[in-house]
Amino acid sequence: MSVVGPTPGTTSAGPMAPEDPAWGPALERAVAGEGVSVVAQPIVDVAGARVAGYELLSRFEGPPRATPDLWFEAARAHGLDGALTARTVGLMREVAATRPEGTFWTLNVEPHLLLSPEVSDLLLAPARLDEMVVELTEHVGYGEDPGLARVMAAIRSLGGSIAMDDAGTGYSGLTQMLAVRPDIVKVDRSLVSGLDRDPVRRAAVRLLGDLSGQMDAWLLAEGVETLAELAELAALGVPLVQGWAVGRPGPGWPDLDPVARAALLERGTRAGLGHYVFGLVRPAELRGWPQEDGPEDLRAGEVVVDDTGRPRRVVVADPGGGTHLAPALVVSPSSPPDDVLRRAMARAEEWRHAPVVCTDARGRVMGTIAVVALVDHVLEHGAGT
């Protein structure tokens, strides 16, 4: 779990209680930027066996020597959680500017602090927020707060994304997912730990994956600590993972663990990518909307993207020779073909043969998948491959 806010339920024993007055001078130093640093943990694209992004984590030198979650708990007790969050957000933005090309980055913010001007103004200051993901912890009950909804809409309008942290645990579970409609759903470590030996945990992850797919969200499993867990997540079609098995947090930009990379590449080769739709993706033409040329200029198979580059519609040919627009069904490259086919066939009848849009972890279009290609694949290889 990232730390730009406290991690409920994991408070360190620490040298002193959060309410201790001795925290005051230490927090003031941290708010001023003294002894605060940032490390990065890789987020791995399972199908591509590569680093797709990084979660940025704050670190505090102290004194006192304490875990980041205790620092933020103390900051909240002393009324400085907004100021400390703003300091770490600013530092993370500076660090994120140096990240490897083609990667996204995430940071964790307590939902109530998004309503604080010192935090929200800093987050929304850049002209664009492409490749930035704001993680919201599920443990806090924020429901359908209009103010929070406005801030999230502003983040998305600038090209940023929203992730829900610790999915599957905590305060209100599915209700909050349905209210927020996150772009990334992070599976909590409690569901990942030992799922290679526990069919109930596997079923829970599969259910979260199905729900995420229906919301066109990416599923990200955090806290992956063993290669057996990694292999099981890959078999379940989970597209993104992070944890010590694939890369530990560190300064700079750590790469994918070589042992994990070899395991993912071996599995991909052995499966011939048959478990994923990746091999069915074909290039697609993109166009913005609206266009001066108007709807009559649309060509079947084109993907209509918004001003952030994310797909919103696909162009479908009519029997009479014209075209119409259908909502984009968006999937990840590591989605199982039979699952994608089921989702395609569950659409309204006039949209069932519209191409499926495949995007990368940043939400950018990789290409489209013809429904007939999905049918042929499932008929040839069977369901589950």
Side-chain angles (χ1 to χ4, degrees), residues 122-339:
L122 186 61
L123 276 175
L124 300 173
R128 300 292 306 170
L129 300 179
D130 301 300
E131 282 76 56
M132 186 188 81
V133 180
V134 177
E135 298 184 20
L136 305 177
T137 174
E138 188 192 359
H139 289 278
V140 179
Y142 42 88
E144 297 185 20
D145 186 300
L148 181 59
R150 285 193 293 271
V151 176
M152 289 191 294
I155 290 171
R156 284 168 163 152
S157 71
L158 295 175
S161 300
I162 303 295
M164 176 168 284
D165 209 355
D166 299 336
T169 66
Y171 176 80
S172 59
L174 296 179
T175 301
Q176 300 219 74
M177 287 180 65
L178 294 175
V180 174
R181 301 296 172 97
D183 304 290
I184 295 177
V185 175
K186 298 192 71 174
V187 182
D188 186 68
R189 168 65 189 161
S190 64
L191 294 180
V192 172
S193 178
L195 90 163
D196 54 299
R197 305 183 304 275
D198 187 342
V200 176
R201 280 185 168 85
R202 289 197 296 274
V205 172
R206 189 179 293 110
L207 286 172
L208 282 173
D210 289 344
L211 178 58
S212 300
Q214 294 296 325
M215 295 189 298
D216 289 337
W218 284 70
L219 196 66
L220 194 168
E222 60 181 343
V224 183
E225 295 187 354
T226 69
L227 292 179
E229 292 169 355
L230 177 61
E232 191 60 45
L233 290 165
L236 289 171
V238 175
L240 298 172
V241 297
Q242 70 179 105
W244 284 15
V246 294
R248 300 194 176 205
W253 303 103
D255 200 0
L256 170 60
D257 180 89
V259 176
R261 175 183 281 113
L264 289 174
L265 290 173
E266 180 184 1
R267 186 183 188 283
T269 300
R270 187 170 62 249
L273 294 178
H275 290 284
Y276 310 131
V277 296
F278 180 78
L280 304 178
V281 176
R282 297 295 178 264
E285 294 187 28
L286 310 182
R287 73 151 66 207
W289 183 262
Q291 290 284 321
E292 293 182 1
D293 295 329
E296 68 277 3
D297 188 54
L298 298 173
R299 293 189 297 275
E302 288 182 319
V303 179
V304 180
V305 297
D306 61 19
D307 58 2
T308 71
R310 290 178 170 82
R312 296 304 181 207
R313 300 285 188 274
V314 292
V315 183
V316 186
D318 291 325
T323 59
H324 69 273
L325 292 172
L329 171 57
V330 181
V331 300
S332 74
S334 56
S335 298
D338 56 328
D339 177 65

Side-chain angles (χ1 to χ4, degrees), residues 51-110:
V51 174
Y54 290 91
E55 181 173 4
L56 299 189
L57 310 164
S58 55
R59 295 291 184 263
F60 300 92
E61 294 178 6
R65 294 187 62 83
T67 54
D69 58 313
L70 186 55
W71 276 86
F72 281 101
E73 188 171 343
R76 181 162 54 183
H78 291 261
L80 292 171
D81 51 345
L84 187 58
T85 297
R87 167 60 64 180
T88 53
V89 167
L91 181 57
M92 287 179 179
R93 275 183 38 195
E94 294 176 9
V95 171
T98 69
R99 73 188 185 281
E101 185 177 358
T103 59
F104 65 90
W105 65 286
T106 78
L107 74 167
N108 187 299
V109 179
E110 284 280 2

